Amino acid sequence: MQDFARKRALITGAASGIGRALALEAAHRGMHIVACDVAAAELGTLAKECAAAGAPSFETVALDVRDSAAVEKLAATLYAADRGIDVLFNNAGVLQLRAVWEHSTAEFDWLIGVNLLGVANGLRAFVPRMLARGTPAHIVNTGSVGGFLPAPSFGAYGASKAAIQVLTEALHHDLRARQANIGVSLLCPGAVQSKIFDAERFAGAGVEPLVGAASNMRDAVRDGAAARGLDPRAVATMSFDAVAANRFWIFPHPEMLSGLADRGASIAVGETPHFEFAKTWRIE
Ligand code: NAI
């Protein structure tokens, strides 16, 4: 898709970080915007900023991506009003850092529910309607380098993101098999400046706040991302450029690709997994 003007983008998790930047980039490119977030109140001034940046329309939707009925209802409402989606960003995601066995059932449900099933809900609601509409469309799912490079304390999050990688590659194959005019991309960021390390404010009942070593670990990673993470606006620009080029992989941190190559080589020779934070993630 080369020309975005007057096309319609739907972005989940649009109130903050990468999602917010995607909305502003969509506005710069002249798109109608459907901005969804569980924290709709935090969408705040985004409507005005997008209008100023060039969006012909902006719609705020309070949406929990875990609520499959709500996602289905949103899609039905949009398509019934001839407001089909041209670019879908399944971006909403949450993070909680703990040793694998320390995640409660509720915390696993939350992480997998938002990061994996939230994307599945978006695909179930929108792909059939995109296919029926027949106009060119594109889907960008947000994974993470954490889905490729398993790290201590990132087990549950990384598992959800590894699943997104598999799901998104399979989505690409499923659509190609049907010769669908729908492009697919997988956005795999490393550290980006955002509020992801404060995600536990949305967790709800049964999810305990981090304390002690886990809290210290989260604070250290949060400080590193704040100091050295990418500006989400750069991630948004790269994402739109990838959609324009119909490119599957979006790696905003190309310096981390060598970590991927190292991991593949290590698996190929049967090495026991080892983890060095700086080396694996290419973070100084
Ligand atoms: P963020 O926390 O700044 O933004 C995430 C947004 O998702 C928030 O506005 C939040 O309200 C919303 N959200 C949370 N739960 C939701 C739900 N159930 N339904 C709908 N919206 C919900 O975080 P960020 O970094 O912008 O995250 C965006 C995506 O990027 C996520 O999928 C995340 O996993 C991914 N990512 C982020 C990285 C980073 O370093 N910031 C690195 C790799 C991937």
Side-chain angles (χ1 to χ4, degrees):
M1 185 178 300
Q2 303 286 333
D3 185 14
F4 295 97
R6 312 216 56 95
K7 302 238 170 66
R8 183 168 278 102
L10 186 146
I11 302 149
T12 67
S16 174
I18 296 170
R20 191 169 206 285
L22 287 168
L24 285 165
E25 184 68 29
H28 281 299
R29 298 189 188 225
M31 297 187 82
H32 295 276
I33 296 165
V34 183
C36 309
D37 206 289
V38 70
E42 295 186 19
L43 285 163
T45 57
L46 187 58
K48 273 190 191 149
E49 288 172 55
C50 285
S57 74
F58 185 95
E59 194 173 339
T60 297
V61 182
L63 181 76
D64 185 333
V65 293
R66 291 173 295 178
D67 184 345
S68 59
V71 178
E72 170 62 24
K73 191 174 164 199
L74 171 61
T77 304
L78 287 166
Y79 279 77
D82 200 19
R83 290 184 293 144
I85 299 305
D86 303 293
V87 187
L88 171 66
F89 291 96
N90 285 312
N91 164 77
V94 290
L95 168 73
Q96 188 76 311
L97 302 179
R98 291 189 209 270
V100 169
W101 62 90
E102 291 173 347
H103 290 286
S104 65
T105 311
E107 196 163 79
F108 258 112
D109 285 348
W110 171 54
L111 289 167
I112 301 295
V114 178
N115 293 357
L116 175 59
L117 302 182
V119 175
N121 289 337
L123 298 177
R124 190 184 309 107
F126 284 95
V127 171
R129 292 180 167 93
M130 287 175 168
L131 288 168
R133 189 175 177 225
T135 53
H138 203 102
I139 298 167
V140 180
N141 292 340
T142 304
S144 168
V145 290
F148 294 94
L149 302 173
S153 296
F154 281 82
Y157 177 78
S160 73
K161 293 299 186 177
I164 286 301
Q165 176 204 326
V166 173
L167 194 83
T168 307
E169 285 196 55
L171 171 68
H172 167 81
H173 296 313
D174 288 340
L175 290 169
R176 292 294 79 74
R178 288 159 182 77
Q179 297 174 332
N181 202 0
I182 304 175
V184 177
S185 298
L186 178 63
L187 171 60
C188 303
V192 178
Q193 294 163 358
S194 79
K195 292 188 190 159
I196 191 91
F197 296 101
D198 300 315
E200 75 183 18
R201 69 192 188 284
F202 303 119
V207 174
E208 299 295 327
L210 295 180
V211 292
S215 171
N216 295 340
M217 165 81 178
R218 187 260 320 274
D219 292 350
V221 182
R222 176 207 273 139
D223 291 350
R228 292 182 294 277
L230 262 188
D231 186 322
R233 288 174 297 186
V235 178
T237 304
M238 289 177 212
S239 300
F240 271 87
D241 289 348
V243 174
N246 195 18
R247 195 168 65 246
F248 183 87
W249 299 108
I250 312 172
F251 278 104
H253 301 73
E255 71 278 11
M256 296 176 91
L257 289 171
S258 55
L260 268 180
D262 290 352
R263 176 170 160 74
S266 167
I267 293 171
V269 296
E271 273 181 13
T272 300
H274 52 90
F275 183 81
E276 294 166 62
F277 198 92
K279 184 164 183 285
T280 306
W281 283 8
R282 298 298 191 267
I283 296 171
E284 295 310 320

